[in-house]
Amino acid sequence: MSDRSPEPTAPHRAGFACFVGRPNAGKSTLTNALVGTKVAITSNRPQTTRHTVRGIVHRPDAQLVLVDTPGLHKPRTLLGERLNDVVRTTWAEVDVIGFCLPADQKLGPGDKFIAKELAGIKKTPKIAIVTKTDLVESKQLAEQLIAIQQLGAELGIEWAEIVPVSAVGDKQVQLLADLIAPMLPESPPLYPEGDLTDEPEMVMVAELIREAALEGVRDELPHSIAVVVEEMIPRENRPADRPLLDIHANVYIERPSQKGIIIGPKGSRLKEVGMKSRKHIEALLGTPVFLDLHVKVAKDWQRDPKQLRKLGF
């Protein structure tokens, strides 16, 4: 008989990692790729994310809770200031910070502004994540990697890792998870197996409607759009095998002149927003949905503390 003791198993780890970066750096797309499903809305317009969305990655050795924050930027409105506060609060509470820098854009003032803030956070490990690598040739990628290394050296940031990834092409996404996991504290799982986000369903539904409303609107309009789900109730007297969920939601804009843009000629645009978002909502909730959308004006809500509170900020 062998008296060798069994190999000790590595302890399970669990904790929070947050992705930061300037607006449109690919944070939400990366969060969705790691979780394996859509938990954060994405758009090619900057400052799409307005909440800290938590996506949960379950692994045999670790549970990664990914916090996708709004993009840090120079605020021009009260909403912008509040979003920046959300980001800074999140940084103070996580175990790992991933700084997302797109491969296809040279480092700019926005990146340096964030890096300077990160330099002030001493204990938390920082990973530089080069996103959107599918959009560049290897020479441009190499130049970006060197520039990021130099930026860290200038500001006294010691990158725990510098990782190029493509969330769209699924390149090195799993490697990123492998690198984050050992940096988390030893802990049992923080969320039950199968949970992919801790966002309330009503918030996620509102975000999916806002994502559809953002598609193809004029440049000045995206930041003026907010969505509030008023109620989600199962339709009464439906057969058990044919349920239907009634969702009533309001799309808020800041000025009466914006109403026509959202509604479109003879309501065509609003109808399209409803159809697109309904598909994603049904996939999220796993049930057929009747979606009732109304467009309302909340005058200058981005600058009005009372309106911001009402709209959930």
Side-chain angles (χ1 to χ4, degrees):
M1 273 176 69
S2 166
D3 60 353
R4 281 193 316 174
S5 55
E7 290 285 311
T9 53
H12 187 276
R13 293 177 179 273
F16 295 83
C18 92
F19 293 145
V20 300
R22 58 190 160 79
N24 213 17
K27 302 179 293 294
S28 300
T29 307
L30 184 57
T31 299
N32 290 340
L34 280 158
V35 175
T37 190
K38 189 183 190 73
V39 292
I41 73 167
T42 56
S43 162
N44 59 5
R45 300 188 172 277
Q47 293 163 45
T48 303
T49 303
R50 284 185 182 158
H51 303 266
T52 46
V53 177
R54 288 200 175 99
I56 302 156
V57 181
H58 302 272
R59 299 162 50 108
D61 61 330
Q63 188 181 76
L64 281 60
V65 186
L66 304 172
V67 188
D68 174 32
T69 59
L72 198 70
H73 59 290
K74 271 213 168 92
R76 292 198 304 271
T77 62
L78 185 57
L79 172 66
E81 283 172 28
R82 291 211 178 156
L83 296 185
N84 278 357
D85 289 344
V86 164
V87 178
R88 291 192 183 96
T89 306
T90 305
W91 290 0
E93 295 170 350
V94 295
D95 304 297
V96 181
I97 296 172
F99 182 18
C100 293
L101 299 131
D104 64 330
Q105 295 164 38
K106 283 200 159 100
L107 300 188
D111 300 311
K112 287 168 187 165
F113 170 66
I114 295 167
K116 274 181 190 157
E117 298 240 350
L118 289 179
I121 303 165
K122 296 298 178 196
K123 290 181 184 167
T124 313
K126 297 161 204 69
I127 299 177
I129 304 166
V130 187
T131 57
K132 309 186 184 186
T133 58
D134 51 298
L135 301 178
V136 298
E137 300 292 324
S138 52
K139 182 174 177 284
Q140 194 178 341
L141 177 58
E143 285 167 2
Q144 188 74 323
L145 294 170
I146 292 164
I148 290 165
Q149 184 74 55
Q150 286 171 343
L151 178 66
E154 272 169 39
L155 297 172
I157 301 171
E158 200 174 313
W159 303 118
E161 301 281 354
I162 299 178
V163 192
V165 302
S166 166
V168 174
D170 198 22
K171 287 204 179 107
Q172 306 225 111
V173 172
Q174 284 319 306
L175 171 67
L176 179 61
D178 293 343
L179 293 169
I180 292 172
M183 298 180 190
L184 302 176
E186 291 181 20
S187 162
L190 303 169
Y191 290 89
E193 183 70 42
D195 280 16
L196 298 177
T197 181
D198 67 353
E199 276 279 275
E201 281 183 349
M202 280 174 106
V203 172
M204 288 195 74
V205 167
E207 287 289 88
L208 289 171
I209 295 166
R210 189 164 66 88
E211 180 180 46
L214 281 172
E215 274 186 39
V217 296
R218 288 187 205 158
D219 286 345
E220 75 275 10
L221 200 54
H223 310 305
S224 299
I225 298 173
V227 178
V228 175
V229 174
E230 297 296 335
E231 58 178 11
M232 290 171 35
I233 41 175
R235 180 82 57 93
E236 287 182 7
N237 304 322
R238 294 281 295 187
D241 59 340
R242 288 182 54 231
L244 186 66
L245 187 68
D246 285 322
I247 298 178
H248 300 278
N250 292 327
V251 179
Y252 288 95
I253 35 95
E254 292 194 293
R255 295 188 296 282
S257 59
Q258 297 168 334
K259 218 170 174 178
I261 302 169
I262 290 287
I263 294 171
K266 295 184 180 168
S268 58
R269 212 171 163 278
L270 190 62
K271 196 173 173 185
E272 200 177 308
V273 169
M275 280 161 58
K276 277 188 178 156
S277 56
R278 199 180 71 235
K279 272 188 203 160
H280 289 303
I281 293 165
E282 288 180 340
L284 171 75
L285 303 177
T287 185
V289 159
F290 171 78
L291 185 57
D292 177 39
L293 291 180
H294 293 272
V295 180
K296 296 193 169 184
V297 178
K299 195 170 182 312
D300 292 332
W301 66 263
Q302 291 186 76
R303 292 172 174 79
D304 179 346
K306 204 166 143 193
Q307 300 267 27
L308 280 170
R309 272 198 304 278
K310 184 181 155 191
L311 298 176
F313 297 104

